[in-house]
Amino acid sequence: MFNFRQNIGIDLGTATVIIYVKGQGIVLREPSVAAIDRVSGKVYAVGDEAQKMIGRTPGNIVAIRPLRDGVISDYDTTEKMLKSFLSKVNFSKFFKPNIVICVPSGVTEVEERAVVDVALQAGAKRAYVIEEPIAAAIGAGIDIAEPNGNMIVDIGGGTTDIAVISLGGVVVSNSIKIAGDTFDDAIIKYIKNKYNILIGERTAEEIKKSIGCVFPLEEIKTTSIKGRNLITGLPNTLELRSDEIIDALSEAANSIADAIHDVLERTPPELVGDIATNHIVLTGGGALMQGFDKLIEKRTGIPAKIAEDPTTCVAIGTGVSLESMDIIQAAGNSVAERKNYENMN
C-alpha cells in the first residue's frame, strides 16, 4: 500500500502504459487498450485482457486505444483505464500519491492540462507533467544537469521526440507523429498493396517485432503470417522476408532520420561536438527496431546507441524526476516551474 510520500511515474504511452513506483521499480506494463460497452460506457477490461479482444468483440463492445499520437483522444476512457491500472498496483484512495506523467515535447497547453486532469481524477494528490525527452534521458542514466550536450531520440507508439539536452533543459527539439503505430500501418499497407492480403494491427505488430528492420541485416529473416485474401475473401498464408519490411518502413524511418538531421542543424556547434562524443541515445520501443542505430549513424555521421532498457527509460525517468525536483528546478526546466498543476483541494 502506498503512503502519503509515495511517488509514481507513469509513461502514458499511445501503445503501452508503464508504471514506476519509487522503491519498487516497474510494477505494471500493459497495452493502452480498453474494452468498453458502446451503450453504457462500462469498461469490461483494460490492458492485456482488452488487447486480446481487438477484432474479436461483439457489436456492443469495442476495444479502443484512448490515446493517439501521444495525447489523450478519449478523456473518459483514459481516466477509467488509468484508475484500473492504479488499482492493479494496490493504489490506495486514502494515501494519494504524487504522480508525474510524461508528455511529448510538442504538446499544447490544453493537451498538457488534459493529462494532469486525468491523473487527478484517477486519484493523484498532486500531478505533474514532464517532457518525454527529459524523462527518457533521466531514465537512461544521463546526468541532465551537466553543461554537456546529449541528444535523445525517443521513438514511442504515437510520436518520436527528439531533443538536445544541456544543463537540465531542452535546447533544441522536435516532435513528429511518426513512430511505432506508423510502422504498423506501413506494414499493413505494404502487404495489402503487394499481395492483396489484409492483416490486422496485432499481426502487423508481430511482423514488426519478429523481422522488422530499417537497415539491411547480415542474415535475412523470414516469418509466416495469415490474413484474408481481398480477391477471394478466403484465408491466406504468406511468407515474408526482412528485406521486404525495409521497403515497407523506409518512408517512415527516413522521416525520423530527417527530423534528427533537422534538430542537429539547429543545434549550437559546441553541443554538436558533445553529441558526437556522447553518441545519439535511442529510447522507446521503436529503438528496438533492428538497424535503427545504423540508419541514424549513416544519415548523420554520428554513432547512435540504444539505451540499456529503452522501453522503460521514460517511465523510470518520470518517477526519478520527482525525487530530483530540486535539480531540475535549479536548471530552469523544472516540471514544477514549467508544467506543474496541483490539486488544491
Side-chain angles (χ1 to χ4, degrees):
M1 178 179 292
F2 298 129
N3 58 49
F4 71 98
R5 298 180 185 276
Q6 187 66 70
N7 293 333
I8 300 176
I10 301 178
D11 180 1
L12 193 63
T14 302
T16 308
V17 172
I18 303 175
I19 297 181
Y20 170 93
V21 175
K22 180 182 178 181
Q24 299 180 41
I26 302 297
V27 296
L28 182 140
R29 186 199 316 238
E30 296 199 25
S32 307
V33 181
I36 63 173
D37 189 303
R38 291 177 183 269
V39 179
S40 66
K42 177 184 176 182
V43 175
Y44 280 91
V46 299
D48 290 325
E49 192 176 345
Q51 174 86 349
K52 297 174 183 176
M53 298 182 181
I54 292 180
R56 295 185 172 92
T57 58
N60 64 310
I61 299 176
V62 58
I64 65 171
R65 295 168 62 178
L67 296 111
R68 301 299 298 179
D69 299 329
V71 297
I72 295 171
S73 60
D74 186 327
Y75 182 92
D76 291 338
T77 303
T78 301
E79 179 190 332
K80 294 174 183 176
M81 181 179 73
L82 188 55
K83 280 183 177 178
S84 180
F85 284 146
L86 288 172
S87 70
K88 287 187 177 185
V89 295
N90 297 322
F91 172 72
S92 171
K93 296 180 180 178
F94 302 103
F95 300 104
K96 296 183 177 182
N98 297 321
I99 293 180
V100 59
I101 302 181
C102 64
V103 293
S105 57
V107 299
T108 65
E109 290 185 8
V110 173
E111 290 167 338
E112 286 178 8
R113 182 71 221 189
V115 170
V116 171
D117 285 344
V118 81
L120 294 174
Q121 290 299 318
K125 175 63 178 178
R126 294 182 177 87
Y128 306 85
V129 293
I130 183 173
E131 293 180 4
E132 284 184 7
I134 292 286
I138 295 172
I142 296 172
D143 187 349
I144 65 171
E146 290 294 315
N148 190 20
N150 288 280
M151 173 174 269
I152 296 290
V153 179
D154 182 60
I155 309 170
T159 62
T160 293
D161 285 277
I162 306 151
V164 175
I165 300 169
S166 181
L167 285 170
V170 174
V171 181
V172 187
S173 68
N174 192 9
S175 180
I176 60 173
K177 295 178 179 179
I178 299 174
D181 289 348
T182 312
F183 297 142
D184 293 343
D185 292 341
I187 291 172
I188 292 172
K189 183 179 178 181
Y190 177 86
I191 294 174
K192 179 181 177 181
N193 291 342
K194 183 172 182 179
Y195 296 105
N196 285 316
I197 291 177
L198 185 64
I199 62 171
E201 292 180 11
R202 291 184 63 187
T203 301
E205 187 173 9
E206 289 169 4
I207 294 170
K208 180 178 67 178
K209 290 180 177 180
S210 61
I211 64 169
C213 58
V214 296
F215 199 82
L217 303 178
E218 293 183 4
E219 183 178 343
I220 293 176
K221 297 182 178 182
T222 62
T223 189
S224 178
I225 63 158
K226 294 181 180 179
R228 175 164 56 86
N229 190 298
L230 293 173
I231 298 175
T232 66
L234 299 175
N236 248 158
T237 299
L238 177 66
E239 290 287 331
L240 284 175
R241 295 160 49 98
S242 56
D243 52 350
E244 292 183 271
I245 305 304
I246 294 178
D247 294 336
L249 302 181
S250 62
E251 183 178 350
N254 281 309
S255 293
I256 292 175
D258 289 342
I260 294 170
H261 190 274
D262 172 68
V263 170
L264 284 170
E265 285 186 330
R266 294 186 284 117
T267 301
E270 292 81 2
L271 295 183
V272 172
D274 291 340
I275 293 167
T277 300
N278 298 331
H279 299 182
I280 297 171
V281 179
L282 305 181
T283 64
L288 297 174
M289 179 74 71
Q290 298 174 89
F292 230 126
D293 52 345
K294 294 179 181 178
L295 174 65
I296 291 173
E297 182 173 353
K298 179 182 178 182
R299 290 289 305 274
T300 65
I302 298 175
K305 62 182 180 182
I306 302 169
E308 185 174 344
D309 189 353
T311 61
T312 62
C313 284
V314 171
I316 293 172
T318 56
V320 173
S321 66
L322 273 174
E323 303 169 33
S324 310
M325 189 70 73
D326 55 335
I327 297 176
I328 303 175
Q329 285 176 328
N333 191 48
S334 148
V335 175
E337 278 186 10
R338 299 182 63 225
K339 299 178 177 181
N340 172 30
Y341 299 93
E342 292 191 6
N343 183 5
M344 302 304 294
N345 299 323

